[in-house]
Amino acid sequence: MTGNRSEIYLLRELLELVNNNDEKLYDLHFGNLIKYQLQREGRSVNWFALQMNSDRSNMYKLLNRSHLDSSFLIRASILLRHDFFRDATEYLKTLNGNDGDLGHDDK
């Protein structure tokens, strides 16, 4: 892996180590992706919570989760103008060797 220390640190923050038997896998951490996007836009978690009709403490709890439901991700994608589903798709492509084939049979 190439990149400077901050890129490597960011990658570790956005991914979560998941143990699957003896195999080490990384899982996309959606809460960290959203926090990263908020930081890039200069927005606070408090602002995000208000926009999402929530309170700050509940939002911090949500954003500490790696897995978030799809309706939450849709709302966050619209609000932050960032496609978190594309992030997931790109991550899946890396798991499949960057060939872009996600195993769909388009017949």
Side-chain angles (χ1 to χ4, degrees):
M1 172 195 237
T2 61
N4 63 37
R5 284 183 181 224
S6 63
E7 289 172 341
I8 293 168
Y9 176 77
L10 174 62
L11 181 61
R12 287 183 182 152
E13 283 290 308
L14 299 179
L15 299 174
E16 176 181 87
L17 183 61
V18 177
N19 288 317
N20 184 10
N21 298 326
D22 292 331
E23 189 177 352
K24 288 184 179 178
L25 297 174
Y26 286 90
D27 193 19
L28 210 50
H29 193 296
F30 284 104
N32 284 344
L33 285 172
I34 291 171
K35 287 189 274 189
Y36 174 71
Q37 191 63 28
L38 285 169
Q39 184 180 40
R40 286 188 65 206
E41 293 187 11
R43 304 281 188 181
S44 69
V45 172
N46 189 49
W47 174 87
F48 185 63
L50 290 171
Q51 301 304 310
M52 297 289 281
N53 296 319
S54 185
D55 62 75
R56 187 174 66 96
S57 64
N58 185 50
M59 189 57 64
Y60 273 109
K61 289 176 190 174
L62 282 170
L63 295 181
N64 283 327
R65 294 182 184 170
S66 61
H67 300 88
L68 299 168
D69 69 42
S70 58
S71 62
F72 183 89
L73 288 174
I74 289 169
R75 290 177 24 226
S77 292
I78 292 167
L79 182 61
L80 298 175
R81 294 179 305 251
H82 180 84
D83 187 351
F84 294 104
F85 294 95
R86 180 180 293 160
D87 294 336
T89 301
E90 292 301 318
Y91 174 70
L92 286 173
K93 287 179 183 178
T94 65
L95 292 179
N96 289 315
N98 287 325
D99 63 3
D101 181 15
L102 296 178
H104 298 291
D105 291 328
D106 295 329
K107 295 181 181 180

